[in-house]
Amino acid sequence: MKTSDFSVLIVDDEPNIRSGLAKGLAGEADRVETASDAEAALDKFEQSTYQLVIADVRLGGKIDGIELLRQLGQTHPQTAVIVITAHGTVETAVDAMRAGAFDFISKPLDLNLVRQQVRKARQHHALRIENQQLRSRLADAGQISNILGTCAAMQDVFHQIRQVAATEATVLIQGESGTGKELIARAVHDLSPRGDGPFVAVNLGAMPESLLESELFGHEKGSFSGASRQKPGCFEQASGGTLFLDEVTEMSPKSQVDLLRVLESGQFIRVGGEQLLSANVRIVSATNKSVQAMIEEGTFREDLFYRLNVIPIEVPSLRQRREDIPLLVEHFLKHFCDRHGRPMKQISPEAMQTLVAAKWPGNVRQLRNVVERMVVTHTDDLIQDHQLPQELQLQDNSNAPSATACTLAEAVERCERETISAALAACDCHRENTAKRLGVSVRTLHYKMSRYGLH
């Protein structure tokens, strides 16, 4: 079946409605099939996929239409569901939309209205496919979302993003502060079937424990002092999309248990509530700490780590991708000159060499801030070496070659070769440990060692 095909599954326990809808929608879809109850519908999903399900709320069997909607939201989030209700009550409609329904239709059915809803769902499906293809073309061109990088280490990261994005697997992103972990998370979301859904980011390190449960799971009106209304939490806000848990290692032991329970069961309850809600989200988390060290210290649960670390992505520091610094500088220069209404500026070769050789403890975030400062504070069209921030000029860059001794590319290569050589020595030439220390794959390390003659 082509990715552009549009298939519809009709689920209703009344044979006349099933057959009538199947005939009436034959011209609106490439394939129309029927099922008499939710169990039969789920069995059909074991053998095929459908872009749209039209399901009655009241179905014969153990599973009703709302529960079918919730289960499909977890297993097939790309499938749209239109719910049919006999009475069209507000409560039923609200329950359906909260569970992720594309829309709802009241009985008695108006076939023309049903056809309109199916066409709307088909247009939505076509737009999602078009967006995914556009994002894939951008990724193949060496840029994903707003992430730039041509070095081998970043190409490895791009490859991992493309591989994991098409799945529902949980992702743990590790790297130093300022390396762009949230951008990586957004890229995973953008390229996924959930890309048209919400992306909700929550910084767990900045959240007091007393508020974290309510922030994640929501609360009912009157559940605690100050709860003047019902509030959906991040899990509900991200329904159908991705929930990004930044600084996940900052969670308290109790919060770790709460999160683990949701990851294992796929359900949660609002603070002060009783109703079980489905967690129709994909979890992507991030940390700048060594999780293994925290596990050994007893400050992070090992079972939670295994739940989060299904697919690990290591983001290299800026020191490990110095050849990308000129590309990033030019990108930030254009961005901030446009943003602040300044004429486009240039960087002198000497200044660029200082930027390439700098230590960058704050990584890409620090580089971005430095470039913005230069755009705002300097009126000259050409930014010279002596105009760079003082903290960069005072750094010990004695290992960097002089501006007249070699080209910028040669300076970058020399710095990279020395970094790899030092890491190999520190790890007793153990290649896996060296690759981990450098934040690159073993394959990338082998390539670099061969390139620079390091054996």
Side-chain angles (χ1 to χ4, degrees), residues 245-265:
L245 304 176
D246 198 8
E247 296 190 32
V248 70
T249 49
E250 300 299 318
M251 299 179 72
S252 69
K254 178 187 179 301
S255 298
Q256 292 179 37
V257 172
D258 292 340
L259 177 59
L260 179 62
R261 186 180 300 116
V262 177
L263 295 180
E264 289 179 338
S265 68

Side-chain angles (χ1 to χ4, degrees), residues 63 135 229 299 326 363 380 427 436 438 450:
I63 305 176
R135 292 164 185 152
R229 60 183 178 84
T299 56
N363 292 292
D380 299 336
C427 296
K436 185 175 181 180
L438 293 172
S450 176

Side-chain angles (χ1 to χ4, degrees), residues 172-190:
L172 176 62
I173 306 170
Q174 294 182 275
E176 297 179 9
S177 293
T179 51
K181 295 186 290 296
E182 182 169 344
L183 290 178
I184 301 293
R186 285 185 178 275
V188 171
H189 169 76
D190 288 344

Side-chain angles (χ1 to χ4, degrees), residues 160 164 167-174 263 282-285 302-313:
Q160 290 175 319
V164 71
T167 73
E168 285 287 299
T170 303
V171 179
L172 176 62
I173 306 170
Q174 294 182 275
L263 295 180
R282 181 188 194 166
I283 298 293
V284 178
S285 55
E302 188 172 18
D303 48 1
L304 177 57
F305 170 68
Y306 290 134
R307 280 284 181 180
L308 297 173
N309 194 46
V310 176
I311 303 292
I313 295 180

Side-chain angles (χ1 to χ4, degrees), residues 385-415:
D385 188 38
H386 69 274
Q387 295 175 311
L388 295 177
Q390 189 176 20
E391 64 266 24
L392 298 182
Q393 299 180 50
L394 295 178
Q395 286 182 8
D396 180 13
N397 296 327
S398 56
N399 291 329
S402 65
T404 57
C406 60
T407 65
L408 178 60
E410 290 171 340
V412 171
E413 289 183 358
R414 176 174 173 177
C415 183

